[in-house]
């Protein structure tokens, strides 16, 4: 119930435009889709991409999106319920913990669990189920969940499988199972590792674009994703400090729980070790700030689930102490207030969203006219460069490909992960930015046949470079363009 306002009935999110666009091109000849901005489906996410493409073919984009949102909500809710039940977390504590988590889903690094439908969300579901199975010593289920999570999202599944191996080792009763789980998980991951090493080997290349220029890793981490992976951009700490303070405070309280409650000692020690990892990641990030060799591993991504698991444990301890002191009515009232507050907050958020969240149905009349004109007046392989960022709420560069089926060459949001693709993405983005600023030489290097603008400044720039007007509606303008031969 608490998760539903966050996941159900809301509009498409930016990441979903990218991943659903990738899914539409999954296993398609690369030469046919190279001009699509979202045409870089990573093969190590093949399980999720294949499933999403199947849903799109059966139900269309909006139907597939709705089903995956529903599955994301149901899966996360099921995973949390299983963890609470197997760990012995009382329901009141679960309500308080999840309510607090939804206020802030991570300490730092911009990670989230709840807010959209993508492969990492389903990987987190599997990890939650693995954590529940760990408590009941169901090692077959634990291993299966690790493998599923890793094949859905290698970084999420791989990290938490290794972290849970540490959890198994920490408990003297389960320590003998560590080696068997480790080698069986490693064996199951051989195909994935082979795929990463052979077909995705350019992930870690570090060559520069040209002499004295930035490396591919610096582009990906420092230029495109500093909010996720680069806390020491420009040589000093530039993330909000409150997240670090909160992380340290939670770690201190976990140490108290570890000492005061022997029944929770193993779990509290493990969570403390995970917090120590997060703090240690800052040390690694400092030494890696110039090269960003570790950037693509998203060292701070685990912070979100670490915070959620810690919140569950700490809320349970607080409620347990209150119940022992005779504050049962106060605890129930607190839980009721938390539920009402979360639901009302979610409802208030939904009031600003369109409940009809379909791609086409949410467009304005002018936006629908632009999409209709493009779909009926241009060949299917027409490469269209769309101005960004867009002030328009619905039609913009991120959803243009899904709405029209036409390639848009490059988009700042849709960054690939492999080295050569990142290099191409950055070069095209530089040319695109320069072209919309009036650089005709840059414009002629862009292999597009049409340009979409929505500001007078951009329209004047392309007109001055020789673009011919084709269509105008509500501020949107389409221009015919002939690139340099």
């Amino acid at each position: 119930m608490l998760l539903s306002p966050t996941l159900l009935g809301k509009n498409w999110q930016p990441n979903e435009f990218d991943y659903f666009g990738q899914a539409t091109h999954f296993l398609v000849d690369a030469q046919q889709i190279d001009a699509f901005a979202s045409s870089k489906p990573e093969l190590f996410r093949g399980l999720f991409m294949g499933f999403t493409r199947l849903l799109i073919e059966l139900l269309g984009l909006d139907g597939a999106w709705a089903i995956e949102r529903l599955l994301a909500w149901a899966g996360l809710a099921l995973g949390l319920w299983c963890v609470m039940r197997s760990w012995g977390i009382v329901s009141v504590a679960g309500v308080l913990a999840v309510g607090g988590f939804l206020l802030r889903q991570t300490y730092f690094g911009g990670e989230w669990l709840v807010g959209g439908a993508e492969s990492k969300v389903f990987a987190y579901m599997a990890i939650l189920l693995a954590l529940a199975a760990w408590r009941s010593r169901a090692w077959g289920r634990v291993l299966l969940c690790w493998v599923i999570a890793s094949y859905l999202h290698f970084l999420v599944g791989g990290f938490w499988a290794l972290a849970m191996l540490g959890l198994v080792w920490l408990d003297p009763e389960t320590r003998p199972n560590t080696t068997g789980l480790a080698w069986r998980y490693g064996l199951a991951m051989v195909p994935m590792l082979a795929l990463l090493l052979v077909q995705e080997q350019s992930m870690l290349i570090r060559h520069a674009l040209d002499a004295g220029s930035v490396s591919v890793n610096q582009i990906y981490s420092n230029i495109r994703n500093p909010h996720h992976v680069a806390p020491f951009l420009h040589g000093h700490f530039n993330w909000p400090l409150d997240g670090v303070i909160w992380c340290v405070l939670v770690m201190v309280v976990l140490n108290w729980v570890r000492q005061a409650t022997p029944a929770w000692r193993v779990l509290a020690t493990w969570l403390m070790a995970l917090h120590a990892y997060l703090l240690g990641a800052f040390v690694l990030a400092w030494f890696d700030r110039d090269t960003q060799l570790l950037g693509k591993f998203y060292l701070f991504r685990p912070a979100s689930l670490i915070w959620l698991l810690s919140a569950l444990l700490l809320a349970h301890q607080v409620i347990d102490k209150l119940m022992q002191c005779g504050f049962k009515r106060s605890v129930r009232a607190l839980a009721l207030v938390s539920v009402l507050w979360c639901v009302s907050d979610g409802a208030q958020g939904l009031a600003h969203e369109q409940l009809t969240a379909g791609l086409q149905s949410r467009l304005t009349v002018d936006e629908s006219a632009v999409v209709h004109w493009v779909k009926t007046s241009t060949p299917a392989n027409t490469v269209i460069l769309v101005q960004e960022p867009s002030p328009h709420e619905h039609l913009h560069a991120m959803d243009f490909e899904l709405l029209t089926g036409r390639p848009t060459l490059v988009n700042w949001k849709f960054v690939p992960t492999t080295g050569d693709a990142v290099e191409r993405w950055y070069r095209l983005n530089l040319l695109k930015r320069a072209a919309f600023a009036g650089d005709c030489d840059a414009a002629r290097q862009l292999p597009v046949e049409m340009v979409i603008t929505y500001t007078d400044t951009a329209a004047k720039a392309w007109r001055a470079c020789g673009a011919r007007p084709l269509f105008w509606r509500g501020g949107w303008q389409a221009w015919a363009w002939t690139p340099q031969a």
Side-chain angles (χ1 to χ4, degrees):
M1 182 173 65
L2 294 179
L3 298 180
S4 60
T6 310
L7 278 169
L8 301 180
K10 303 188 86 172
N11 284 334
W12 286 65
Q13 300 302 311
N15 283 1
E16 291 172 329
F17 295 128
D18 189 11
Y19 292 125
F20 276 77
Q22 289 183 31
T24 60
H25 308 305
F26 185 59
L27 298 181
V28 176
D29 184 359
Q31 293 183 351
Q32 299 179 27
I33 61 172
D34 194 51
F36 281 88
S38 58
S39 68
K40 286 75 183 177
E42 294 96 343
L43 293 179
F44 53 85
R45 290 199 186 115
L47 184 61
F48 177 76
M49 289 296 169
F51 174 70
T52 302
R53 184 178 178 185
L54 177 62
L55 286 181
I56 292 173
E57 292 179 350
L58 293 175
L59 305 173
L61 283 166
D62 289 327
W65 173 83
I67 291 297
E68 289 201 354
R69 278 293 186 94
L70 180 62
L71 291 175
W73 165 71
L76 286 174
L78 175 64
L80 283 169
W81 179 80
C82 289
V83 167
M84 289 170 55
R85 184 183 180 189
S86 65
W87 289 13
I89 304 291
V90 296
S91 57
V92 175
V95 168
L96 292 175
V98 174
F101 173 78
L102 292 178
L103 287 175
R104 177 172 184 160
Q105 294 194 38
T106 190
Y107 295 123
F108 34 68
E111 178 67 347
W112 52 267
L113 270 71
V114 184
E118 56 183 81
S119 58
K120 71 174 183 181
V121 176
F122 294 92
Y124 281 125
M125 295 176 199
I127 295 302
L128 288 172
L129 294 175
L131 287 165
W134 159 79
R135 195 69 165 185
S136 58
R137 309 299 193 250
W139 303 120
R141 277 188 286 154
V142 169
L143 182 63
L144 178 62
C145 290
W146 288 353
V147 173
I148 291 175
S150 299
Y151 275 84
L152 284 168
H153 195 291
F154 180 72
L155 292 180
V156 170
F159 175 87
W160 283 102
L162 294 177
M164 285 192 65
L165 280 172
L167 177 60
V168 174
W169 182 86
L170 275 175
D171 190 342
E173 295 182 5
T174 62
R175 188 170 297 166
N177 297 283
T178 307
T179 303
L181 285 171
W183 77 258
R184 282 186 287 170
Y185 173 71
L187 186 63
M189 294 308 298
V190 167
M192 172 65 76
L193 293 173
L195 185 63
L196 288 171
L197 292 174
V198 176
Q199 298 191 36
E200 302 292 334
Q201 59 186 338
S202 56
M203 284 183 68
L204 303 179
I205 66 172
R206 294 175 293 162
H207 65 274
L209 297 178
D210 51 55
S213 185
V214 291
S215 71
V216 168
N217 290 322
Q218 290 170 327
I219 292 169
Y220 187 85
S221 301
N222 290 342
I223 296 176
R224 177 58 183 83
N225 294 304
H227 55 298
H228 287 312
V229 301
F232 297 103
L233 189 65
H234 307 309
H236 57 83
F237 189 78
N238 51 48
W239 282 2
L241 193 59
D242 60 334
V244 181
I245 296 173
W246 186 244
C247 177
V248 173
L249 289 176
V250 171
M251 189 176 179
V252 171
V253 178
L254 284 170
N255 185 50
W256 170 80
V257 172
R258 184 180 67 86
Q259 296 175 350
T261 53
W264 294 94
R265 183 166 297 160
V266 170
L267 194 57
T269 301
W270 180 63
L271 290 172
M272 284 184 60
L274 290 175
H275 281 78
Y277 158 79
L278 291 177
L279 298 178
F282 282 108
V283 178
L284 293 176
W286 167 257
F287 287 106
D288 191 44
R289 67 190 183 279
D290 294 325
T291 58
Q292 286 298 348
L293 297 177
L294 301 176
K296 290 182 181 178
F297 293 102
Y298 285 80
L299 298 180
F300 302 97
R301 170 168 272 156
S304 187
L305 186 53
I306 293 173
W307 159 227
L308 175 58
L309 297 176
S310 301
L312 286 171
L313 178 58
L314 297 182
H316 176 80
Q317 297 299 313
V318 171
I319 297 301
D320 186 54
K321 297 299 181 185
L322 290 175
M323 296 287 279
Q324 291 178 14
C325 295
F327 294 102
K328 294 183 179 180
R329 290 186 179 180
S330 300
V331 167
R332 290 168 184 154
L334 181 62
L336 179 61
V337 170
S338 299
V339 170
L340 293 176
W341 179 84
C342 288
V343 172
S344 64
D345 183 68
Q348 184 179 6
L350 286 175
H352 299 287
E353 299 277 358
Q354 286 186 265
L355 293 181
T356 303
L359 281 174
Q360 188 71 41
S361 61
R362 65 199 181 99
L363 299 181
T364 65
V365 174
D366 288 337
E367 291 169 345
S368 295
V370 173
V371 170
H372 177 75
W373 180 83
V374 170
K375 294 174 71 173
T376 58
S377 304
T378 64
N381 60 350
T382 303
V383 184
I384 304 175
L385 196 68
V386 182
Q387 184 180 359
E388 58 177 318
S390 173
H392 299 274
E393 182 179 357
H394 304 128
L395 180 61
H396 42 70
M398 289 186 292
D399 64 4
F400 196 87
E401 287 187 347
L402 292 179
L403 283 164
T404 64
R406 305 300 187 268
T408 60
L409 187 63
V410 68
N411 185 295
W412 178 257
K413 175 65 179 177
F414 302 160
V415 58
T417 57
T418 56
D420 292 335
V422 171
E423 182 178 359
R424 175 180 178 271
W425 171 87
Y426 184 59
R427 177 176 56 82
L428 290 175
N429 266 294
L430 291 179
L431 291 173
K432 180 178 181 179
R433 184 177 302 175
F436 277 96
D439 187 337
C440 297
D441 290 334
R444 294 186 184 97
Q445 297 180 56
L446 290 165
V448 299
E449 300 155 81
M450 186 180 297
V451 179
I452 298 288
T453 65
Y454 54 80
T455 65
D456 291 338
T457 302
K460 291 177 181 177
W462 283 95
R463 183 186 292 112
C465 291
R468 295 181 294 102
L470 295 173
F471 177 82
W472 177 89
R473 181 69 180 264
W476 293 89
Q477 296 185 65
W479 306 83
W481 178 249
T482 302
Q484 180 178 338

